[in-house]
Amino acid sequence: MTREEGRDPAKLGSALYHNINITEDRQKGLEETKASRQVLHVELLARVRGAVDHLGGPKQCVDELRAYFDAGVGHMALRFGSWDQVGQFKRFLNEVAPALFR
């Protein structure tokens, strides 16, 4: 598609749309992420665009997110797959981001 638009694919950066649910209970996180995705009408979008889900505690989140950056992802959009968006955001800022960006 890039070539069809007259652009050089080698000059494009990489990006990832990533669903994240910071929880020590992976099964609960998966159920909550799936339910919130359906309610927010993005289930189809996730299937079409290949969105990635990640569930786990802060260390697991750091390890997986770091692996994407190490693989060359230049931009990442995170969607918290949880009903508690503020709580997830606070956990990300306090428990994931400091370890990820040091």
Side-chain angles (χ1 to χ4, degrees):
M1 288 175 55
T2 305
R3 286 187 182 93
E4 290 173 11
E5 295 295 322
R7 298 177 68 191
D8 180 0
K11 292 184 178 179
L12 293 178
S14 58
L16 178 70
Y17 176 79
H18 196 75
N19 292 298
I20 186 170
N21 189 314
I22 306 165
T23 179
E24 287 68 30
D25 185 338
R26 291 177 57 87
Q27 186 59 40
K28 179 183 172 202
L30 178 61
E31 291 167 8
E32 185 176 40
T33 297
K34 284 182 177 181
S36 69
R37 186 187 295 155
Q38 289 171 345
V39 168
L40 296 172
H41 306 287
V42 294
E43 182 69 29
L44 179 61
L45 177 64
R47 288 182 186 165
V48 171
R49 306 243 183 212
V52 176
D53 291 334
H54 181 71
L55 315 159
K59 182 176 180 343
Q60 290 173 301
C61 292
V62 168
D63 291 345
E64 183 156 324
L65 295 175
R66 185 173 287 135
Y68 282 110
F69 285 122
D70 290 348
V73 169
H75 303 279
M76 188 178 301
L78 297 177
R79 175 190 169 273
F80 297 108
S82 171
W83 303 118
D84 181 12
Q85 295 287 296
V86 173
Q88 286 284 300
F89 187 61
K90 287 178 180 178
R91 285 197 79 182
F92 179 80
L93 290 177
N94 294 318
E95 300 175 51
V96 176
L100 184 62
F101 299 113
R102 57 178 153 155

